[in-house]
Amino acid sequence: MKQLITLLSLLITTWVSAQYVEHVNPFIGSSNFGTTNPGALVPRGMVSVTPFNVSGSDLNTFDKDSRWWSTPYSADNSYLTGFSHVNLSGVGCPELGVIILMPTTGDVNANPKGYGSIMENQKAEPGYYHTHLKKYDVTAEVSATKRVGISRFTFPEGKSNILLNLGLGLTNETGAMVHIINNQEIEGSRMTGTFCYNDGSERLVYFVARFNKPAEKFGTWKKMPEMKAEASWSKSSGKYKYYDGFNQPMNGNDVGSYFTFNTKNDEQITVEVGVSYVSIENARLNLNTESNQFNFEKTRTQASQDWHDILSRIKVEGGTEDQKTIFYTALYHTQIHPNIINDVNGQYPAMESFEIKESPDCNRYTIFSLWDTYRNYHPLMALLYPNEQLDMVRSMVDMYKESGWLPKWELNSRETHVMEGDPAIPVIVDSYLRGLRDFDVETAYEAMYKSATTEGSKNKLRPDIDHYLSHGYVPLKEEFDNSVSHALEYYIADWNLAQFAKALNKPQDHKKFLKQSQGYKEYYDKEYGILRPKLEDGQFLKNFDPNQGENFEPSPGFHEGTAWQYAFCVPHDIKGLSLLMGGKKNFVNKLQSIFDLNRFDMANEPDIHYPYLFNFVKGEEWRSQKEVRKLVNKHFKNSPDGIPGNDDCGTLSAWVIYSMMGLYPVCPGNTDYAITSPVFDKITIQLDPNYYQGEKLEIISHKKNATDHLIQKIIWNGKKHPSYFIDHNTITKGGRLEFFLKK
């Protein structure tokens, strides 16, 4: 009887878990330059075991070395060269993609062009990936814990190998060490860094790999340099040299190891790999602590349960199966980065140094693509996962304590200096105003004040701040110096800093930074009716083309976009911008033309709030409902090309989550959500009782037809809601937000 009850309990648990996990398609975003991948990982995991199929064969559509390429996997490719253990998801530059395991049969071949295989029968779900390697008749399955990857390879009868390749990787850095400890264990390290080709972001990643059975033969390899005069005497010039039985540390740019087994048909060899950014000793500690003793199914089940626990924070009802999959996959993608960098003992590498710190009370997070994520991602985390968001804020403040500056685009405790602005400010301020205040507030304010006032020659975050402080804008000094984009980010940061100063009862600072945030008006050109680059002498740039910048074409004053895609990038002062443009009617007409003339870019962060700006003009809110629904239906799909471009560490995913729920945070630091019509019939958000008064927020749509999307009326807790905005601090008290919709 007890066994029957246990079985029924397991079946019920599995069914409930499947309600969420089965609606995740990890292949979404793995084409169309979404740069996500179907690798196996757990929420916020340091390790992700990912198929690496972007090198080694002309059979592939894309090769990492033939163009700008920033992901270890493409759904358009079919030639696999292994499984990498530390990876990035949804980024725009190559990095990581190292510590690569590959199963083969027959004689050992260390050359990826020779040992790779066509992939067949790919399957993926949260925490699990499966494929079959045609060349070897080997089935490969992978899963993970937070700091340990596990691979299970099912071999045919005969001579079988598992290669560990430390030469291949997505990163542009080289250099590695591999050391075979015995016939079941390997340790080593791999250099990473130079993200977006910026020096100074290098860091070693350490690992320990352990096999479930002893190898009958093992060794290392090294790619030898190509000789000139001596080549005729050497058998290994420019070739891979194999060192059978070598158990001393092997160093080089292209090194690796092999373990060989005589396998029976369908025999399974399992490998666990622990990773650390601190030391080999910590990698071994992580492995010893999180290992399930090679129990692959237990690891896979735990990973699935971890994903269920995270995804079940929101329950959606109604909508199509594809819409549910788009929604939950987006939620899945938001839980990849930022990820933990602290080991099980709390140790992590300090920001901008090689000192080792310890974080005993909270997780230390890394991978902050803040220029992207400050706009919507972090407000979403504050609503759904406030404990994680608070730890992210603490991590950023600690980075300031360790390095003297808040992060801009941080990767593994190194600043990469990618993109512009001062984006940590709006993240921290927004979190504070949403009620997440258990961090070192005064130190955070000190950090913000420093970057907002320090002269440019000493300012790592705002090196062109001097003219901004003296004249209110950043002048164009070089043809493509992104000056307007820089200034617009400073205005948003300074407006947030003003709100922070107000909340902390610093009235003079509030006044100072509020004034700084209004400098965007310096760029407004009445001739074009939009923002235009300005020179040091106060004159506007001549020969101005507001359409220049399409398709990543360089554009004077603007980064990765046109003047149109920055024209409304003043979310902190939409009323003031509307007045500049000649009033509400002109504002609406110009905004609508962005969509009608195909000037809007769904994949470009500076304009992704545009469709919600109609809510600022009474009587025009229906335009937001129309445009948002069109964008959701057009750009987000249940297919590999289902993200309209680079996911930017979950930013586009956060956009579609909000948009399908009917809410959107137009401006970080302003806790109002703009309202639009939800996609689903009912959405239930479980609120965290440790942070919010309410138990849950219900969003309900009343409609006669599935295509109804225009709002007739809004009801909040039984009373008519008079606005197309609703405050975060209102909805987190719990309640029911109802929409009555029509075509």
Side-chain angles (χ1 to χ4, degrees):
M1 186 66 179
K2 288 183 178 179
Q3 290 180 334
L4 178 60
I5 293 172
T6 301
L7 178 61
L8 287 172
S9 177
L10 179 62
L11 289 172
I12 291 170
T13 300
T14 303
W15 179 82
V16 171
S17 177
Q19 297 289 298
Y20 303 96
V21 173
E22 73 176 5
H23 281 115
V24 173
N25 176 5
F27 291 101
I28 291 177
S30 60
S31 183
N32 193 37
F33 303 99
T35 70
T36 63
N37 66 72
L41 75 165
V42 296
R44 309 284 180 209
M46 185 189 301
V47 163
S48 64
V49 191
T50 300
F52 194 97
N53 73 347
V54 294
S55 180
S57 176
D58 293 336
L59 296 172
N60 284 337
T61 303
F62 299 105
D63 187 279
K64 73 181 185 72
D65 296 320
S66 64
R67 58 171 300 144
W68 184 298
W69 193 256
S70 61
T71 176
Y73 175 91
S74 172
D76 304 292
N77 289 354
S78 60
Y79 187 82
L80 180 80
T81 52
F83 295 89
S84 48
H85 282 70
V86 286
N87 302 279
L88 298 179
S89 174
V91 299
C93 291
E95 177 57 318
L96 301 184
V98 294
I99 313 175
I100 294 176
L101 284 180
M102 178 69 183
T104 69
T105 62
D107 293 337
V108 170
N109 183 350
N111 189 339
K113 293 183 178 180
Y115 76 63
S117 172
I118 295 297
M119 314 162 68
E120 299 178 319
N121 192 26
Q122 295 185 72
K123 302 174 185 176
E125 62 188 47
Y128 175 76
Y129 172 86
H130 164 287
T131 190
H132 186 262
L133 307 186
K134 183 178 181 180
K135 181 176 181 178
Y136 304 113
D137 191 24
V138 169
T139 296
E141 301 169 276
V142 297
S143 187
T145 66
K146 285 193 181 296
R147 302 169 181 87
V148 176
I150 185 169
S151 301
R152 182 170 69 183
F153 305 125
T154 304
F155 289 99
E157 182 178 2
K159 183 180 179 182
S160 300
N161 316 296
I162 297 177
L163 313 180
L164 176 61
N165 190 336
L166 296 178
L168 185 62
L170 196 63
T171 180
N172 287 301
E173 280 294 324
T174 59
M177 185 278 287
V178 60
H179 180 199
I180 296 176
I181 302 302
N182 54 47
N183 59 3
Q184 281 187 263
E185 188 168 304
I186 313 168
E187 66 182 24
S189 62
R190 176 62 154 89
M191 179 63 80
T192 66
T194 321
F195 182 70
C196 283
Y197 312 97
N198 293 316
D199 294 338
S201 60
E202 300 80 18
R203 191 172 292 283
L204 282 170
V205 57
Y206 305 91
F207 70 90
V208 173
R210 192 173 292 154
F211 298 75
N212 71 325
K213 66 176 292 185
E216 299 189 26
K217 183 180 178 182
F218 62 79
T220 60
W221 74 71
K222 178 167 60 176
K223 179 74 176 291
M224 301 300 288
E226 192 164 344
M227 298 178 179
K228 295 181 180 179
E230 302 169 294
S232 59
W233 291 289
S234 174
K235 295 180 181 180
S236 59
S237 173
K239 298 179 181 179
Y240 287 93
K241 182 177 179 179
Y242 301 92
Y243 301 78
D244 292 340
F246 192 82
N247 62 359
Q248 297 298 305
M250 174 69 75
N251 296 277
N253 288 335
D254 193 345
V255 298
S257 66
Y258 56 89
F259 274 37
T260 299
F261 309 85
N262 289 322
T263 55
K264 300 175 183 178
N265 190 43
D266 289 337
E267 183 174 352
Q268 295 180 328
I269 306 293
T270 304
V271 191
E272 292 182 327
V273 180
V275 166
S276 168
Y277 287 93
V278 171
S279 65
I280 288 175
E281 292 75 17
N282 273 19
R284 184 171 283 108
L285 178 63
N286 290 340
L287 175 58
N288 291 340
T289 304
E290 295 189 359
S291 168
N292 282 313
Q293 305 303 313
F294 304 107
N295 188 331
F296 185 89
E297 292 303 329
K298 183 178 181 181
T299 303
R300 176 185 175 182
T301 300
Q302 286 180 345
S304 181
Q305 185 62 47
D306 287 346
W307 280 112
H308 162 76
D309 293 343
I310 284 292
L311 299 173
S312 62
R313 196 67 58 90
I314 307 180
K315 181 180 180 180
V316 300
E317 301 173 56
T320 66
E321 290 300 299
D322 278 351
Q323 287 171 333
K324 289 178 180 176
T325 298
I326 291 165
F327 182 86
Y328 281 112
T329 304
L331 190 59
Y332 165 84
H333 282 146
T334 67
Q335 291 297 304
I336 297 175
H337 301 309
N339 56 264
I340 61 166
I341 194 173
N342 55 296
D343 295 325
V344 292
N345 60 6
Q347 292 183 341
Y348 64 89
M351 183 69 173
E352 294 291 78
S353 78
F354 300 102
E355 183 183 353
I356 304 305
K357 295 283 188 177
E358 191 168 326
S359 179
D361 300 322
C362 62
N363 279 319
R364 171 63 172 246
Y365 284 103
T366 183
I367 319 298
F368 285 93
S369 180
L370 292 171
W371 180 85
D372 306 291
T373 58
Y374 86 81
R375 304 170 196 275
N376 59 20
Y377 174 91
H378 289 285
L380 181 65
M381 294 304 100
L383 174 63
L384 302 180
Y385 309 103
N387 191 63
E388 291 181 3
Q389 177 59 23
L390 184 56
D391 275 358
M392 292 175 200
V393 170
R394 291 167 175 160
S395 295
M396 287 188 278
V397 175
D398 283 344
M399 288 174 193
Y400 167 75
K401 293 177 181 178
E402 294 158 12
S403 70
W405 298 93
L406 288 171
K408 179 183 289 186
W409 211 123
E410 176 274 349
L411 193 160
N412 293 334
S413 290
R414 303 291 289 187
E415 179 55 66
T416 67
H417 302 288
V418 174
M419 304 309 292
E420 54 260 320
D422 203 345
I425 291 180
V427 172
I428 297 171
V429 172
D430 185 79
S431 297
Y432 181 88
L433 295 177
R434 292 180 195 276
L436 308 184
R437 301 182 176 183
D438 187 13
F439 62 94
D440 191 340
V441 173
E442 286 302 325
T443 297
Y445 188 84
E446 172 191 299
M448 297 176 194
Y449 191 93
K450 179 181 179 180
S451 63
T453 59
T454 299
E455 64 184 272
S457 63
K458 300 177 181 179
N459 198 322
K460 290 188 176 182
L461 292 174
R462 307 191 195 190
D464 49 4
I465 195 176
D466 293 343
H467 200 274
Y468 174 89
L469 292 178
S470 61
H471 292 76
Y473 69 97
V474 177
L476 184 78
K477 293 184 177 181
E478 300 177 9
E479 185 178 11
F480 301 123
D481 64 4
N482 304 325
S483 54
V484 183
S485 296
H486 287 202
L488 290 174
E489 297 299 333
Y490 300 159
Y491 299 135
I492 295 170
D494 284 345
W495 183 84
N496 271 269
L497 184 48
Q499 309 315 305
F500 205 22
K502 183 178 180 180
L504 298 180
N505 194 27
K506 300 177 187 288
Q508 294 304 312
D509 286 356
H510 171 253
K511 183 178 180 180
K512 170 187 176 69
F513 294 117
L514 194 62
K515 181 180 179 181
Q516 281 186 197
S517 76
Q518 295 295 302
Y520 75 90
K521 297 171 184 177
E522 292 286 340
Y523 289 115
Y524 188 77
D525 176 25
K526 294 181 180 179
E527 178 185 353
Y528 285 90
I530 55 176
L531 307 180
R532 181 176 179 178
K534 208 170 187 180
L535 307 179
E536 237 178 328
D537 62 5
Q539 299 297 309
F540 284 116
L541 173 70
K542 296 180 180 179
N543 302 317
F544 174 56
D545 178 5
N547 293 312
Q548 187 175 347
E550 294 176 341
N551 300 316
F552 290 97
E553 173 196 11
S555 174
F558 298 99
H559 193 175
E560 295 183 1
T562 68
W564 291 111
Q565 289 154 10
Y566 282 89
F568 295 83
C569 193
V570 193
H572 60 287
D573 190 25
I574 296 301
K575 183 180 290 187
L577 182 64
S578 177
L579 289 173
L580 275 182
M581 290 183 170
K584 296 178 180 179
K585 183 177 180 180
N586 287 347
F587 175 86
V588 168
N589 290 340
K590 191 163 294 180
L591 181 59
Q592 187 63 57
S593 75
I594 298 287
F595 300 97
D596 294 346
L597 299 177
N598 200 28
R599 290 168 171 164
F600 177 79
D601 186 353
M602 185 64 251
N604 197 19
E605 274 73 15
D607 70 357
I608 59 175
H609 63 292
Y610 281 19
Y612 288 93
L613 297 183
F614 295 109
N615 275 21
F616 286 85
V617 181
K618 189 173 182 179
E620 303 292 347
E621 300 92 347
W622 64 273
R623 296 178 187 269
S624 285
Q625 298 151 36
K626 181 190 74 168
E627 298 299 343
V628 169
R629 186 60 59 91
K630 281 172 60 178
L631 292 168
V632 169
N633 292 341
K634 178 181 178 180
H635 292 290
F636 296 89
K637 297 174 284 185
N638 181 16
S639 58
D641 63 347
I643 299 177
N646 194 317
D647 194 34
D648 288 320
C649 290
T651 303
L652 294 189
S653 290
W655 187 94
V656 77
I657 290 167
Y658 267 129
S659 297
M660 295 179 89
M661 293 197 302
L663 303 170
Y664 194 79
V666 172
C667 180
N670 181 336
T671 58
D672 278 346
Y673 295 106
I675 290 175
T676 189
S677 52
V679 168
F680 301 104
D681 296 341
K682 185 177 181 182
I683 302 157
T684 305
I685 299 174
Q686 298 296 327
L687 299 170
D688 190 328
N690 295 313
Y691 295 90
Y692 298 127
Q693 295 180 32
E695 176 187 353
K696 62 185 177 181
L697 168 66
E698 292 181 331
I699 302 172
I700 298 171
S701 296
H702 303 280
K703 52 190 175 184
K704 295 180 180 179
N705 302 293
T707 56
D708 291 355
H709 64 277
L710 296 180
I711 298 173
Q712 286 184 300
K713 63 178 177 179
I714 305 167
I715 303 294
W716 170 245
N717 285 340
K719 297 181 180 179
K720 186 175 181 180
H721 189 67
S723 170
Y724 281 84
F725 294 91
I726 192 166
D727 186 63
H728 172 88
N729 299 308
T730 296
I731 64 174
T732 54
K733 293 176 182 176
R736 175 176 291 193
L737 184 63
E738 297 181 76
F739 295 86
F740 291 80
L741 306 178
K742 63 180 180 178
K743 281 190 177 180

